[in-house]
Amino acid sequence: MPDTVRPIYRIAAVAVGVAVLVALGVAERRGRPGSAGAIVRVARPMMGTLVEVSVWAEAGAQPRAAAAANEALDLAAAIEARISEWQPGSETSAINAAAGAATVAVGPELQELVERSIEWARRSDGAFDVTGGPLFELWERARLTRRLPAGAEIAARQALVGYRGIRQEGARIGLARAGMKLGFGAIGKGFAADRMAARLRQIGFPNFIVDAGGDVVVGGSRDGAPWIVGVRDPRRDTLLATLPATDCAIATSGDYERFFAVDGTRYQHIVDLRTGWPAREVTGATAIAGNGTAADALATAIAVLGWERGIALADALPDVEALAVDRDGRVHLSRGLRLEGDRLQWLR
């Protein structure tokens, strides 16, 4: 496959901008009756999606809010330049080029991102894993040719996958075997959204939504009321549920954006690296956590583990909630959520 073709078979959805939607009514855009505040929105294409920052600003603060949103987007672009496997000059690309031969000196951001990635790989028993590039490429070829890979091809690629092959030596990171690849499509947007949120708070704008293509970090409120976030139905172009949110992160992974069919069987882009085959049990998984990095990783893990083990993982973690939709369209919730009609409610 040509190097210029980017695999869509990453361990998380690459086109989830419509999976988690910011749902704002007219009254919410305008604020309370008599309020002179407003939501300022700034968006920019990056990280393979459209990243949007929405900031609630009091009267007279809108120009400063727009400048703050642009500063947050500048920060995200700088992070992408360091961690993206698609940018030849990035630290991640240097690690991949040196796989099996040497470790590479990296900055503190990539050190933290790798540490968090390994932490979530361990928590999820490998359901979340940032070394899946060789398998993703194989399944991208299958999507393009409509030919399923042979068992021997899958096994050969699996030999190049596994988070235990990541080598950390202080500020240096490497990969154990030639042909291994790091890729942060399943956690990088959440990580960048966390950094953007921290910058907005630091500048003095604590009321915002950062939407990194469906990986959403919410801060504060909009004119004293919670932000309203909508979760997409994985089988219909509608909202499955809405949720009032403040000071949390929400991420969704699903099979509805990228898939193909062979002999009547549907194959999605979310690959279970432990089996080498696309995951099948969950059509949509949404995770709610205290930060975007955790929500991003957990949504992927649930999509791979299946709803029962995925929800159990969420229930075992503090301050985490989750929703999963199975192949029959049934919705499964962690203990702290309840769904009444199309409204998600907090129970704890």
Side-chain angles (χ1 to χ4, degrees):
M1 184 175 60
D3 291 339
T4 55
V5 178
R6 295 188 178 189
I8 60 168
Y9 282 84
R10 306 182 193 177
I11 202 164
V14 296
V16 294
V18 292
V20 178
L21 305 173
V22 179
L24 297 170
V26 173
E28 293 165 340
R29 288 198 298 270
R30 295 175 178 170
R32 298 187 307 266
S35 170
I39 293 173
V40 176
R41 287 191 181 88
V42 181
R44 197 180 301 174
M46 66 178 75
M47 295 186 287
T49 187
L50 183 69
V51 179
E52 182 176 74
V53 180
S54 301
V55 180
W56 174 260
E58 299 293 341
Q62 284 90 351
R64 289 191 297 111
N70 274 299
E71 186 172 334
L73 288 166
D74 289 342
L75 175 62
I79 291 172
E80 181 185 21
R82 290 191 286 273
I83 71 171
S84 172
E85 68 269 33
W86 303 113
Q87 300 202 15
S90 74
E91 294 172 348
T92 301
S93 292
I95 293 169
N96 291 344
T103 57
V104 174
V106 301
E109 283 175 335
L110 192 60
Q111 289 180 57
E112 180 184 349
L113 182 56
V114 169
E115 289 168 2
R116 297 288 297 276
S117 297
I118 292 173
E119 173 189 349
W120 277 102
R122 289 171 176 160
R123 282 181 172 175
S124 65
D125 192 25
F128 172 87
D129 193 324
V130 293
T131 66
L135 272 171
F136 303 149
E137 291 172 355
L138 182 66
W139 281 99
E140 169 65 356
R141 188 178 69 192
R143 184 188 73 87
L144 294 174
T145 63
R146 295 298 193 272
R147 184 186 69 82
L148 297 180
E153 292 178 289
I154 292 174
R157 298 298 181 101
Q158 280 186 291
L160 300 175
V161 169
Y163 71 92
R164 293 181 179 86
I166 301 173
R167 299 288 181 256
Q168 293 179 285
E169 301 172 0
R172 302 184 68 86
I173 295 173
L175 296 167
R177 297 177 295 282
M180 290 188 70
K181 293 183 179 181
L182 279 180
F184 300 105
I187 197 171
K189 292 192 293 294
F191 180 81
D194 285 338
R195 295 301 177 98
M196 295 170 71
R199 181 62 58 86
L200 289 168
R201 293 185 177 106
Q202 183 183 36
I203 296 170
F205 289 93
N207 303 305
F208 58 81
I209 285 186
V210 174
D211 184 354
D215 296 322
V216 175
V217 177
V218 181
S221 63
R222 35 144 186 82
D223 201 22
W227 298 94
I228 306 298
V229 177
V231 180
R232 175 180 165 172
D233 188 309
R235 285 293 178 266
R236 293 183 291 272
D237 192 20
T238 59
L239 291 181
L240 175 68
T242 60
L243 175 73
T246 182
D247 294 325
C248 68
I250 304 171
T252 290
S253 188
D255 73 348
Y256 40 83
E257 291 292 345
R258 300 285 191 176
F259 62 90
F260 70 98
V262 175
D263 296 330
T265 300
R266 178 183 178 121
Y267 298 92
Q268 60 159 308
H269 68 277
I270 303 172
V271 179
D272 184 343
L273 304 182
R274 301 166 305 172
T275 66
W277 285 80
R280 295 193 62 191
E281 186 178 336
V282 171
T283 61
T286 296
I288 307 167
N291 60 80
T293 309
D296 211 354
L298 181 58
T300 296
I302 294 170
V304 172
L305 288 170
W307 74 263
E308 189 168 8
R309 291 183 63 196
I311 295 296
L313 174 61
D315 281 334
L317 297 171
D319 302 320
V320 165
E321 302 298 344
L323 174 154
V325 182
D326 66 24
R327 284 186 294 172
D328 296 322
R330 294 173 298 189
V331 177
H332 306 273
L333 302 171
S334 58
R335 286 195 297 262
L337 294 176
R338 178 173 59 195
L339 183 62
E340 291 193 357
D342 62 352
R343 292 180 180 269
L344 272 176
Q345 299 180 356
W346 302 95
L347 298 181
R348 59 180 180 181

